[in-house]
Amino acid sequence: MREELFKNCTLCPRKCNVNRLEGKRGYCGMDSTIRAARAALHMWEEPCISGKKGSGAVFFSGCGLRCCFCQNRDIAIGDSGKEISVERLAEIFLELQEKGAANLNLVTGAHYVPHIISALELARGKEMNLPVVYNSSGYESVETIRRLDGYLPDMKYMEPELAAAFSNARDYPQAAQSAIAEMMRQTGPCQFAEDGYIKRGTIVRHLILPGHTKNSIAVLKYLYRTYGEDIFISVMNQYTPVWKNEKFPELNRKVTRREYEKVLDAAIELGIENGYFQEGETAEESFIPAFDYEGV
């Protein structure tokens, strides 16, 4: 049984080795019970994911990374979330399909992968045929990624010191590089349907952090020099300071236009053509959905 993977949990690089089946919680803050905070059509993803239909986003509670600047803090630390069964999760997938979703978008589900796979099998047995987007922090184990297919990971850091300071994960760069390499091995170059929606491939997101454009440029260099045009890169300026950070005061402001343009200029200089960038004022809390159990 896949649920046996919760007995000595190593689903993420933290490798906590706790028995979540007995109610114990690892770094992600979750036991083996699925908790989700929202399941609804989401219009704010990249154009090839949301499009005009909307992406069927399921936001799971808990997170194995738990960055100090997390934009979805309420669910990442487990303060928001309704307990559901694998059977209910499968029903949610089918309901999102009925609402016209372009795809299923599984947001931060690494710690629930065994349940997610079981729910997908149940839903597909009832004619659910949507493509699945695995929306990830990028802090993943290769073994977990091998159980999946179709990816939207972050790549947050190339600087181990920054990863240690902001996410308590000095090994983040190495873990993310290995995870993305496995994702690319599985999917190959991005493929798109005639209507513009992505059918297969890996899109890597990078959120620029205020005061850290050097890290952002290093991420872009790594991705482009490693994968060239086979990968799509989404550069985001929507960082929103959602609470006051006493330890890292630079995180208490938005990214400036000058910082964002500096990163975009670097992308152009590198020759990056396959990707997305954001225009206008995106650093608003309105881009953070209400975790009010809609659809759960």
Side-chain angles (χ1 to χ4, degrees):
M1 291 177 60
R2 295 190 185 97
E3 284 67 24
E4 291 295 306
L5 293 169
F6 292 123
K7 254 189 181 178
N8 188 39
C9 190
T10 58
L11 288 170
C12 86
R14 302 279 186 194
K15 299 190 184 301
C16 298
N17 297 110
V18 299
N19 190 336
R20 292 169 59 196
L21 289 176
E22 293 182 348
K24 295 180 181 177
R25 299 169 184 250
Y27 198 94
C28 66
M30 297 291 106
D31 58 21
S32 63
T33 303
I34 305 170
R35 290 175 176 82
R38 181 180 173 85
L41 297 181
H42 194 60
M43 305 304 298
W44 305 323
E45 306 287 33
E46 286 73 9
C48 67
I49 296 174
S50 285
K52 293 181 179 180
K53 297 179 181 179
S55 182
V58 182
F59 291 85
F60 294 97
S61 299
C63 178
L65 192 55
R66 303 179 86 170
C67 308
C68 71
F69 56 83
C70 183
Q71 307 289 275
N72 294 340
R73 182 175 183 270
D74 286 348
I75 58 171
I77 63 176
D79 282 354
S80 180
K82 180 180 178 181
E83 292 187 5
I84 59 174
S85 65
V86 169
E87 291 74 19
R88 175 58 191 146
L89 184 58
E91 289 174 358
I92 288 170
F93 295 162
L94 290 163
E95 289 166 6
L96 288 169
Q97 178 170 270
E98 290 173 4
K99 291 176 181 177
N103 44 61
L104 288 182
N105 188 345
L106 308 176
V107 185
T108 317
H111 45 296
Y112 292 128
V113 161
H115 288 328
I116 286 171
I117 294 173
S118 295
L120 285 171
E121 288 178 348
L122 286 173
R124 283 173 174 149
K126 296 181 180 179
E127 300 185 352
M128 194 283 290
N129 55 15
L130 293 178
V132 179
V133 178
Y134 185 71
N135 193 331
S136 159
S137 71
Y139 194 57
E140 302 277 354
S141 75
V142 170
E143 292 77 17
T144 298
I145 291 300
R146 284 177 181 156
R147 298 184 174 97
L148 301 162
D149 189 7
Y151 303 99
L152 181 64
D154 292 344
M155 187 162 186
K156 299 178 185 293
Y157 314 106
M158 279 296 288
E159 300 176 7
E161 297 78 13
L162 205 59
F166 290 172
S167 301
N168 190 29
R170 179 174 289 273
D171 63 335
Y172 180 96
Q174 180 182 357
Q177 288 173 36
S178 297
I180 291 170
E182 175 60 21
M183 294 174 189
M184 287 297 294
R185 186 193 68 77
Q186 290 181 23
T187 68
C190 289
Q191 301 172 26
F192 299 87
E194 290 183 5
D195 58 5
Y197 286 104
I198 189 166
K199 295 195 302 182
R200 187 173 178 81
T202 301
I203 301 173
V204 180
R205 285 175 167 171
H206 175 71
L207 178 67
I208 302 170
L209 297 175
H212 295 286
T213 56
K214 180 182 176 183
N215 174 67
S216 294
I217 293 169
V219 168
L220 297 185
K221 285 181 178 177
Y222 170 77
L223 290 171
Y224 186 68
R225 290 174 178 175
T226 305
Y227 301 108
E229 299 301 327
D230 286 346
I231 203 168
F232 270 62
I233 304 171
S234 182
V235 184
M236 304 189 299
N237 70 344
Q238 69 186 52
Y239 173 78
T240 304
V242 291
W243 75 92
K244 190 171 183 179
N245 195 308
E246 301 286 351
K247 190 173 182 181
F248 304 108
E250 73 268 31
L251 297 178
N252 294 324
R253 65 170 176 85
K254 300 175 184 179
V255 171
T256 66
R257 178 180 293 275
R258 183 176 180 180
E259 286 174 321
Y260 190 49
E261 289 178 350
K262 182 178 180 180
V263 176
L264 290 184
D265 286 346
I268 292 168
E269 187 176 341
L270 282 167
I272 295 173
E273 295 183 1
N274 288 349
Y276 303 96
F277 65 93
Q278 294 175 312
E279 295 178 321
E281 184 63 55
T282 60
E284 299 289 347
E285 290 189 38
S286 60
F287 271 71
I288 303 171
F291 301 118
D292 54 5
Y293 305 160
E294 179 182 350
V296 178

